[in-house]
Structures are given as C-alpha cells and as structure tokens.
Amino acid sequence: MIVTYEQPDGTVEQVSTDDLSAIESADIEEAMGDTPWRQVEDLLRGQDPTAMRAVLWAVRRREQPTLAFRDFDVPGWRRRLRARIERAEIDEVLANLLAEALGSGEDSAIDAMLPHLRKLAHDEADVGAAVEAVGKGHLVKATASEG
C-alpha cells in the first residue's frame, strides 16, 4: 500500500508499506491497540484515518525518534490522506480471483472487480498490466471500448 499525504504547501509525501521495517510494522500494530498487520492492511484499504496516520507516524519517527503516536496528528486528513494499492497487491487480488473462480464465471468475477481495483490503484495503468499478465487482457480492452 502507498499512503500519500498532501501537505498544506501542496507537496506530497508518499510512503509505501513495503518500505517499512519489521520493527516499524510492529510499532504500528502496537500503536493501534495490538491490531494484527493483516487487519492494519484491511483498514488501509478502507481509508481508515488511524491506520494511515500510523504509517506516516512510523516513518516520521525515523527523524523524530521520540514522536509519540498520541501526539502525531494529520490536520485535514479527509482531503490530504489517501491509501492506494500497488501493482503487487493488484496481482495478488487477480490471482485470488482466478483461483476462486476457476471454470465458469472467472471473466465476470474479474470484470466486476476492475472498477474497484482502478479506484484503489496508486497507478491505474497497473490494473490493465496485471489483467494482461494473467491472460485476461480482453476484459480491459472491452472496458476501454465501452467507455
């Protein structure tokens, strides 16, 4: 996941959860009341402000080691904070869909998921590339010709 924060001056800070250390991930879990990492990821996908704030906090502590989570705030979070999925996560979703829907209906399951994946994707082109990679590029082409 990539958490982006648009600062008041317009600069954008981007943090990938892939760049967190194991200790930073554990600190996030602890700061969020011993929330397991898998649940933190689910909360990020749901645009949970506490989860997004926790990721930014963990990275900010690299420069400010004494920064306490309870003291770290993100003013205007609704306008400035966003969590988006990366290509590897898109690949994982598509692989899971294919595994669950082997046989009839797999195209409709992927087709139904495409708008959601595009909305969550950090780079919308990753969705098309991932669909192509699993051999279902015709679905992306069909969606593009309809639009």
Side-chain angles (χ1 to χ4, degrees):
M1 303 269 331
I2 292 181
V3 176
T4 58
Y5 171 57
E6 184 178 338
Q7 298 179 17
D9 67 2
T11 59
V12 177
E13 179 181 2
Q14 290 187 346
V15 176
S16 173
T17 56
D18 287 345
D19 296 333
L20 295 172
S21 72
I23 291 173
E24 288 170 331
S25 296
D27 288 346
I28 290 169
E29 290 174 330
E30 183 180 331
M32 293 185 60
D34 294 322
T35 302
W37 184 253
R38 190 67 168 155
Q39 190 175 352
V40 172
E41 288 180 321
D42 289 343
L43 290 167
L44 287 169
R45 284 184 197 94
Q47 307 302 303
D48 180 82
T50 303
M52 292 186 289
R53 180 174 68 102
V55 170
L56 284 178
W57 164 78
V59 171
R60 296 272 178 90
R61 284 188 22 179
R62 293 173 184 169
E63 294 178 9
Q64 303 171 39
T66 60
L67 181 61
F69 184 61
R70 70 180 176 281
D71 297 331
F72 180 70
D73 195 11
V74 184
W77 71 269
R78 284 188 188 273
R79 292 184 318 277
R80 296 188 174 140
L81 271 180
R82 163 183 292 168
R84 294 291 183 248
I85 59 176
E86 297 180 80
R87 172 65 192 266
E89 292 161 306
I90 295 167
D91 289 340
E92 184 180 327
V93 167
L94 288 173
N96 289 339
L97 277 173
L98 285 173
E100 289 176 16
L102 280 177
S104 66
E106 70 181 31
D107 281 4
S108 63
I110 293 170
D111 197 38
M113 183 61 76
L114 288 177
H116 183 66
L117 287 175
R118 285 188 183 102
K119 181 179 178 184
L120 284 176
H122 177 66
D123 182 349
E124 207 173 298
D126 284 345
V127 175
V131 172
E132 282 279 348
V134 296
K136 298 294 179 180
H138 62 278
L139 294 174
V140 174
K141 292 174 182 118
T143 304
S145 66
E146 293 171 8

